[in-house]
Amino acid sequence: DIQMTQSPSSVSASVGDRVTISCRASRDTSKYLNWYQQKPGKAPKLLIFAASSLQSGVPSRFSGRGSGTDFTLTISSLQPEDYATYYCQQSYITPPTFGGGTRVEI
Amino acid sequence: QVQLQESGPRVVKPSETLSLTCAVSGASVSSATHYWSWIRQPPGKGLEWIAYMSHSGSAKYNASLKSRVTISIDKSKNQFTLTFNSMTAADTAVYYCARVDGAHSGLGIKFDYWGQGTLVSVSS
């Protein structure tokens, strides 16, 4: 299985800050990398697919970059509704695997 | 609007079998475009993919769970089911059903619609 490692595990930030989360795969996943946002008690929500494509309806302050083994999710200007846990997920090979999550908090 | 809704028991006893159903509205489980999946999340922990199935009945399982898991589709009811046997305390988790998009896109699969999740506790 491909192991996905996210860093940091948590980050403290203020409204308006630029926040960047990293995700590293244990082997090459090309651009088969998705990002999800999960709020407490809720299901994950797809934000970014194929490393950099914005899912329909997701605000443009979210962006993704990377290929191979190293990927980033950036929130350009943090909004109050963005406080959540973010997960990366590779879909290069089965089983699809998720990172351990990064909590964005005040 | 696509909606998924899990249903099933909230508590199962150790060694028993769990059966969860996901009712789909706004989309068809008979669609050749999408697959249908189960994912779980132990309390306070990360996400683990369990299995997915296509409209034709072709299924993929997480190898670590494969011996205990079966996924099936009921086209007449537009729903799909997870059966998980020999449950233990380690299987206590929120179980999510989700739609899989992109299986034929060349961009990799993604879970684009999710149910709200159902917490299943394994306890005697």
Side-chain angles (χ1 to χ4, degrees), chain B residues 45-101:
Chain B
K45 296 189 177 180
L47 298 156
E48 180 181 33
W49 172 75
I50 300 171
Y52 62 65
M53 173 169 269
S54 72
H55 74 290
S56 64
S58 173
K60 290 277 191 181
Y61 295 95
N62 190 321
S64 66
L65 303 170
K66 184 176 183 178
S67 64
R68 298 197 291 139
V69 172
T70 303
I71 186 172
S72 60
I73 283 181
D74 186 336
K75 296 179 182 179
S76 67
K77 296 182 179 178
N78 207 38
Q79 65 186 31
F80 60 105
T81 298
L82 175 73
T83 302
F84 208 130
N85 59 36
S86 303
M87 295 285 283
T88 72
D91 297 313
T92 293
V94 175
Y95 285 77
Y96 294 101
C97 58
R99 190 178 80 167
V100 181
D101 186 42

Side-chain angles (χ1 to χ4, degrees), chain B residues 10-23:
Chain B
R10 300 287 183 96
V11 181
V12 296
K13 291 182 169 55
S15 79
E16 287 189 343
T17 295
L18 170 69
S19 183
L20 293 173
T21 297
C22 181

Side-chain angles (χ1 to χ4, degrees), chain A residues 32 34 36 38 42-43 87 91, chain B residues 41 96 106 108-111 115:
Chain A
Y32 295 85
N34 306 320
Y36 300 85
Q38 186 178 35
K42 300 294 186 182
Y87 293 94
S91 59
Chain B
Q41 185 173 36
Y96 294 101
I109 66 166
K110 56 189 184 286
F111 303 103

